[in-house]
Amino acid sequence: MNVDYPPGTEEFREEIRAFLRRELPDGWRGLGTLAEDEAVEFTAWWRGRLAGSGYLTPSWPTEYGGAGLSRLQQVVVSEELARAGVPFNGKNDTFSIKMIGNLILRLGTEAQKQRFLPRIVSGEDRWCQGFSEPGAGSDLAGLRTRARLDGDEWVIDGQKIWTSDARTANWMFLLARTDPDVPRHRGISMLLVPMDQPGITVRPIEMMTGGNNFNEVFLDGARTARDQIVLGPGDGWKAAMALLGLERGDEAATNPIFFRAEVDRLLALARERGLAEDAVVRDQLARAYTRVEIMRYLGLRTLTGWLKGEVPGRDASVSKLYWSEHHKAVTDLAVSLLGTDALVPSGRRPVRHYRADDPDAPNSSGSWVSTWMTAISGTIYAGTSEVQRNILAESVLGLPKESRGA
């Protein structure tokens, strides 16, 4: 693990800081200081500024709308945006850029790159992810959505659930079983499917946080062109595993920033509530601070490999397990400190629907309770904590595979 950035990094870092000084409004104090509707409006405006500069997709080649920067420079851009309290992207971009855009850049055909990547940067194409199903969440290989060839088109039937931002997407990358006669991991394909067609129905799912970005998606004879497939028929599992490990560098660099800021807010909350000197609370605060420092070094270890171009390994499971369980513990403590105020939360709720609230957000019960509800899901999405522990037990400790029922 290397904890030092190479020579020349600080000069580039100053370039990004100069860009932020030029582009941000005078007196900018961070997204968390804005009201919810103002934050949404600013995010849309800021996305345009990032897209125009290439910093929306910093390491993408310039011919596809990126800035043509190195991986290290991409990490620096992410760090400085996080520290400035500005968003990295806009609506649907986690799926459009971080996931399918980077996957197409790595594994797609040249035709797919030319067709999709510039439209992702411009915002013309907005993507969602069709992986989870009612009977196949963590056990993704158990999916039942089927696709069959009909001439030059795939015809798709099935159901997806927990599909974030499906109502604002016009494309979906989904996994479907295209060969039922081979072992279940081998008969899956990843298809690129237009959402605006009669064979697709999207229904919102109201969450206990008040958010409604989750949806269920029904596919009844939905169609997509034969060549809108990643890699090829039966290669969906390979494509999915590659996708789930993409852009570890961004998260390795920014997770410690966001979660450290959250612990700082937690310390302030304990002081505001007059509980900072309570022995039990102090012990829990110390544990939270220690965990977030460990997270920083886990991030540096991940960055060291990522910058060398190493493929995702078991450290991805370590990081996912670590931050999600940490976040749950931190928000549990915050709600305990709030006491009865947590029963009737008030104040600005988080604009983001996952991870920590913005670093400069108000230290309100509305912020903490909403984040606490969301934190619980962090131990479930992108692989449950139990699945991550199984991966580490088998791949690191060499323990036998978990026995499965008949």
Side-chain angles (χ1 to χ4, degrees), residues 285-366:
L285 292 173
R287 289 175 183 271
Y289 179 87
T290 301
R291 285 195 306 267
V292 83
E293 283 298 294
I294 292 172
M295 191 185 303
R296 181 165 66 92
Y297 283 98
L298 286 174
L300 289 171
R301 184 180 67 178
T302 298
L303 279 176
T304 300
W306 187 78
L307 292 173
K308 293 178 182 177
E310 295 176 0
V311 297
R314 56 179 177 258
D315 59 320
S317 289
V318 172
S319 297
K320 168 58 169 62
L321 177 64
Y322 198 86
W323 72 252
S324 61
E325 293 292 337
H326 160 80
H327 196 208
K328 185 166 171 282
V330 163
T331 53
D332 276 344
L333 177 56
V335 170
S336 296
L337 295 178
L338 287 169
T340 56
D341 287 347
L343 298 175
V344 189
S346 61
R348 176 188 181 276
R349 297 187 305 175
V351 175
R352 299 193 302 166
H353 297 290
Y354 67 103
R355 309 289 170 91
D357 199 350
D358 293 297
D360 41 12
N363 218 4
S364 65
S365 57

Side-chain angles (χ1 to χ4, degrees), residues 108-348:
T109 65
E110 185 57 34
Q112 289 171 342
K113 294 174 185 178
Q114 292 181 6
R115 173 174 180 175
F116 291 117
L117 297 184
R119 292 174 62 88
I120 286 174
V121 174
S122 70
E124 294 174 84
D125 286 350
R126 302 173 305 280
W127 291 77
C128 61
Q129 178 186 25
F131 279 19
S132 294
E133 299 183 3
S138 295
D139 182 19
L140 191 56
L143 63 87
R144 296 185 178 182
T145 295
R146 299 291 182 96
R148 58 180 176 80
L149 276 174
D150 180 21
D152 289 330
E153 291 185 315
W154 294 98
V155 181
I156 310 157
D157 295 284
Q159 180 184 353
K160 300 294 179 178
I161 200 165
W162 312 122
T163 310
S164 298
D165 298 328
R167 281 174 296 153
T168 51
N170 55 5
W171 281 87
M172 172 190 281
F173 57 96
L174 63 79
L175 294 179
R177 191 165 301 283
T178 52
D179 188 347
D181 299 323
V182 298
R184 59 183 197 158
H185 289 83
R186 299 179 186 173
I188 296 172
S189 300
M190 181 181 289
L191 303 176
L192 311 176
V193 183
M195 293 285 287
D196 186 15
Q197 58 172 300
I200 295 181
T201 302
V202 179
R203 297 179 185 171
I205 299 174
E206 181 110 8
M207 305 302 292
M208 64 181 180
T209 61
N212 57 5
N213 62 311
F214 280 138
N215 302 270
E216 53 184 342
V217 179
F218 298 88
L219 302 113
D220 183 14
R223 290 176 174 265
T224 194
R226 183 174 190 152
D227 60 353
Q228 298 306 337
I229 186 170
V230 179
L231 291 177
D235 289 329
W237 191 258
K238 179 181 177 181
M241 294 304 100
L243 181 143
L244 293 175
L246 285 170
E247 293 305 276
R248 292 183 300 151
D250 279 350
E251 289 193 1
T254 58
N255 270 354
I257 295 173
F258 284 117
F259 287 125
R260 172 57 190 273
E262 184 175 65
V263 168
D264 289 343
R265 292 176 64 231
L266 181 68
L267 293 169
L269 181 65
R271 289 191 291 268
E272 292 167 9
R273 296 279 159 164
L275 297 169
E277 300 303 319
D278 181 276
V280 174
V281 172
R282 286 176 63 86
D283 180 67
Q284 291 176 297
L285 292 173
R287 289 175 183 271
Y289 179 87
T290 301
R291 285 195 306 267
V292 83
E293 283 298 294
I294 292 172
M295 191 185 303
R296 181 165 66 92
Y297 283 98
L298 286 174
L300 289 171
R301 184 180 67 178
T302 298
L303 279 176
T304 300
W306 187 78
L307 292 173
K308 293 178 182 177
E310 295 176 0
V311 297
R314 56 179 177 258
D315 59 320
S317 289
V318 172
S319 297
K320 168 58 169 62
L321 177 64
Y322 198 86
W323 72 252
S324 61
E325 293 292 337
H326 160 80
H327 196 208
K328 185 166 171 282
V330 163
T331 53
D332 276 344
L333 177 56
V335 170
S336 296
L337 295 178
L338 287 169
T340 56
D341 287 347
L343 298 175
V344 189
S346 61
R348 176 188 181 276

Side-chain angles (χ1 to χ4, degrees), residues 15-30:
E15 288 183 28
I16 304 305
R17 290 172 178 172
F19 165 78
L20 292 169
R21 288 193 294 268
R22 288 194 310 270
E23 298 293 335
L24 289 173
D26 292 338
W28 173 256
R29 293 184 297 124

